[in-house]
Amino acid sequence: MSHHTDRLEQSLWCFGLPVLWYSISIFTGVWLYRGVSINPAYSLAFFSFLAFIIIVPFWFRYTKRYGLLPLGLFSSHLMLKLAFVVLLILMLTSMMMPSEERWVQQMADFSKQGWLSVVLAMIFFSPIIEEIVFRGFLLQGLLTWLPNNRLACCILVSLLFAAAHTQYTSTVTLTELITISLLLCYARLTSKGLLMPILTHMLTNSAVLLFWYVSTV
């Protein structure tokens, strides 16, 4: 197989998986619950779980086939730096936020069962899937064709990451998502794996949920 053909084949994987992930979100968000009244927390949990069981096997197969997108190694030093920056970003954006996002307000009204679904989705399933899709396949696909333009690739991934979170409307929130994504891209490239961005994403979502919980108690 020629180098050009190999790049084309990898591109099908790297750009096809984000499309598949988005298709799953459309299916669960529009088609499955059309005209049906359902707790959005359960919808979020179902989408995250469905995406998890579909996307993860593709990731395993891709990693085995090409030797790319491994988990990589854990670095406590890098984790501390990432955690500090994440908390700083969250603190700054919380001070700049004029009002709570409508989606967040809806989440705050859920029952305990609903909160458990949100916690499971946002702390476990979503960080794993979104890192595989965005800092994994999508970033890898861009770097395959633009290996000398890492910053541009990271910016594009981050813009698409923010745009994919259609439940948010505030420019402050979208700026926060872009900034966090750039940090996650840095974690991916520095650690040469997905473990560090996954853990950082889990930490970010945990901090956000903790803030939501404290503000509603």
Side-chain angles (χ1 to χ4, degrees), residues 53-183:
I53 62 175
I54 293 175
I55 298 295
V56 168
F58 279 105
W59 171 49
F60 284 152
R61 186 173 179 181
Y62 177 85
T63 301
K64 183 178 180 180
R65 183 182 181 90
Y66 296 104
L68 300 170
L69 302 186
L71 271 178
L73 300 176
F74 175 79
S75 169
S76 57
H77 179 67
L78 178 60
M79 191 72 242
L80 287 174
K81 290 197 300 183
L82 294 170
F84 174 79
V85 177
V86 163
L87 295 177
L88 182 61
I89 292 172
L90 294 179
M91 287 174 58
L92 291 175
T93 52
S94 66
M95 291 187 292
M96 297 168 58
M97 187 72 69
S99 61
E100 201 71 85
E101 289 274 4
R102 181 181 177 186
W103 185 78
V104 175
Q105 293 173 348
Q106 292 175 339
M107 287 292 179
D109 295 332
F110 292 149
S111 62
K112 290 183 179 179
Q113 291 79 7
W115 268 112
L116 288 175
S117 299
V118 171
V119 168
L120 186 63
M122 291 190 64
I123 295 183
F124 182 72
F125 291 120
S126 290
I128 294 175
I129 290 304
E130 290 182 357
E131 292 315 305
I132 290 175
V133 169
F134 288 96
R135 266 63 61 177
F137 282 107
L138 185 55
L139 182 57
Q140 184 65 36
L142 293 173
L143 290 173
T144 298
W145 294 97
L146 301 168
N148 298 320
N149 294 274
R150 286 188 166 192
L151 180 58
C153 292
C154 291
I155 291 174
L156 181 56
V157 166
S158 300
L159 291 173
L160 292 172
F161 177 69
H165 288 74
T166 55
Q167 70 269 38
Y168 298 118
T169 58
S170 170
T171 54
V172 175
T173 305
L174 295 176
T175 301
E176 176 184 272
L177 289 171
I178 293 171
T179 307
I180 291 291
S181 177
L182 288 172
L183 182 67

